């Protein structure tokens, strides 16, 4: 047998390199408690988890502000996967597109607090991971914020904040969670000169400082990746790489277990996707 079907052309990025990653989904779990999570499962263009943020009871188009923001984020991420630009500019251009789309959808409407979302995404065409905010990312059992050249460690900052508040003995767990959310709003998208290590990135229609856009390109080879909204605790994700995978029921049990530390509970929507990636060598 001969002909073009025998030797299909390799998938290529817009830069012309044969580096588009092949992706296979291992597990995808969603537990909608508030309906403010969203996901993108497109193994050719984008895999992402999105966490909408709501602090007040306002609504837009029949949805909470967080649910509205997450739905806009889902559409915008699929669009952003098609952006054609130099590799070094791509993370920033992706985030700029998300901010612009949310701003466009909001129009002239105003709210006590702007609809906001955070996200973690993988773009197979470029073997690129991008995160803004506190969604969890594991690459080969290593969190994104522990990988080289990551200036922001937002999960570590939040953990330290909770520990410091808990040690004071003056606050309940509910108060600690509320104070953490207030800190996130106060420090949202502050640049390093104003907030330094304690800044917090989020998509709210305004500009996101470069220092709050975390990203990495996966090297050639085989990888295990997990993305989750911040309602999923790291030990549950790590189990996918180090032992039997947790079921949704096991996760729910951990959530209700009083022996599990506050920082490891999941009081929010739960969305995570675990997938395998093969990144070909450039050639």
């Amino acid at each position: 047998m001969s002909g073009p079907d025998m030797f299909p052309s390799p998938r290529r990025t817009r830069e012309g390199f044969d580096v588009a990653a092949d992706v296979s989904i291992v597990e995808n779990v969603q537990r909608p408690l508030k309906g403010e999570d969203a996901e993108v499962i497109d193994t050719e263009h984008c895999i992402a988890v999105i966490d909408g943020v709501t602090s007040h009871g306002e609504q837009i188009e029949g949805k909470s502000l967080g649910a509205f923001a997450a739905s806009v984020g889902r559409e915008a991420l699929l669009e952003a996967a098609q952006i054609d630009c130099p590799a070094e500019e791509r993370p920033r251009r992706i985030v700029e597109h998300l901010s612009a789309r949310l701003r466009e959808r909001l129009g002239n409407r105003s709210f006590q607090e702007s609809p906001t979302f955070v996200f973690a995404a993988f773009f197979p065409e470029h073997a690129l991971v991008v995160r803004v905010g506190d969604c969890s990312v594991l690459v080969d059992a290593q969190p994104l914020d522990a990988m080289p050249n990551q200036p922001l460690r937002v999960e570590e900052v939040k953990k330290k904040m909770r520990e410091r508040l808990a040690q004071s003995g003056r606050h309940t767990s509910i108060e600690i969670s509320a104070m953490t959310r207030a800190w996130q709003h106060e420090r949202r998208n502050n640049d390093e000169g104003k907030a330094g290590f304690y800044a917090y990135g989020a998509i709210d229609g305004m500009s996101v400082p470069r220092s709050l856009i975390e990203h990495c390109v996966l090297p050639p080879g085989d990888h295990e990746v997990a993305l989750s909204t911040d309602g999923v605790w790291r030990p549950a994700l790590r189990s996918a790489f180090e032992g039997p995978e947790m079921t949704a029921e096991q996760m729910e049990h951990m959530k209700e277990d009083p022996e599990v530390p506050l920082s490891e509970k999941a009081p929010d929507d739960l969305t995570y996707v675990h997938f395998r990636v093969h990144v070909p060598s450039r050639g």
Side-chain angles (χ1 to χ4, degrees):
M1 181 178 178
S2 62
D5 292 338
M6 283 287 293
F7 303 100
S9 299
R11 221 157 21 117
R12 294 181 180 274
T13 69
R14 290 177 179 83
E15 285 83 8
F17 295 104
D18 179 18
V19 296
D22 292 317
V23 176
S24 60
I25 304 297
V26 176
E27 186 176 16
N28 180 208
V29 173
Q30 284 190 295
R31 186 190 65 207
L33 294 183
K34 299 192 298 181
E36 295 184 341
D37 276 8
E39 66 177 9
V40 178
I41 306 294
D42 181 336
T43 56
E44 286 196 11
H45 300 106
C46 179
I47 298 174
V49 296
I50 307 157
D51 187 5
V53 180
T54 292
S55 297
H56 305 283
E58 297 174 284
Q59 289 198 335
I60 178 173
E61 298 180 6
K63 302 175 181 178
S64 72
L65 301 190
F68 172 81
S71 66
V72 174
R74 184 183 186 279
E75 298 171 2
L77 277 164
L78 284 168
E79 295 168 352
Q82 306 300 319
I83 291 174
D84 189 3
C85 66
E88 63 273 14
E89 296 180 13
R90 185 162 291 110
R92 177 181 58 82
R93 290 283 300 277
I94 287 170
V95 171
E96 286 178 349
H97 179 78
L98 302 184
S99 297
R101 290 290 282 125
L102 181 57
R103 187 167 60 249
E104 175 186 313
R105 287 289 303 275
L106 289 173
N108 294 324
R109 292 174 287 194
S110 62
F111 302 91
Q112 186 174 350
E113 182 176 334
S114 177
T116 301
F117 68 90
V118 296
F119 76 95
F122 177 68
F123 299 91
E125 188 173 10
H126 312 290
L128 173 67
V129 177
V130 180
R131 173 173 71 175
V132 171
D134 57 358
C135 290
S136 293
V137 178
L138 287 181
V139 178
D140 300 327
Q142 293 298 314
L144 178 63
D145 54 10
M147 298 180 73
N149 302 318
Q150 295 303 321
L152 178 70
R153 299 174 185 273
V154 67
E155 292 156 329
E156 181 181 333
V157 171
K158 290 177 68 176
K159 180 180 178 181
K160 288 181 178 179
M161 285 188 59
R162 291 189 178 112
E163 288 175 348
R164 186 173 67 249
L165 291 169
Q167 288 170 359
S168 72
R170 299 194 300 267
H171 308 289
T172 66
S173 61
I174 294 176
E175 289 173 336
I176 290 173
S177 294
M179 293 171 76
T180 302
R181 287 195 298 271
W183 164 81
Q184 290 178 184
H185 176 64
E186 177 186 347
R187 300 285 183 165
R188 181 182 300 164
N189 293 334
N190 282 335
D191 61 28
E192 289 186 86
K194 296 178 181 177
F197 186 71
Y198 291 94
Y200 176 85
I203 306 298
D204 61 3
M206 305 302 288
S207 177
V208 179
R210 286 176 179 262
S211 62
L212 304 184
I213 303 172
E214 298 174 278
H215 57 89
C216 71
V217 175
L218 301 190
D222 295 317
H223 304 281
E224 298 265 354
V225 180
L227 310 177
S228 74
T229 55
D230 64 353
V232 180
W233 50 95
R234 183 166 294 158
L237 284 176
R238 198 174 289 276
S239 71
F241 303 101
E242 297 180 350
E245 294 180 8
M246 284 192 173
T247 65
E249 289 74 20
Q250 288 172 314
M251 291 182 181
E252 187 68 23
H253 175 73
M254 278 190 67
K255 171 181 175 290
E256 301 300 334
D257 186 347
E259 297 301 315
V260 178
L262 172 67
S263 62
E264 296 180 9
K265 290 186 179 180
D268 204 344
D269 296 324
L270 183 157
T271 301
Y272 91 91
V273 57
H274 169 201
F275 52 98
R276 296 191 175 101
V277 178
H278 175 72
V279 180
S281 298
R282 289 178 178 265

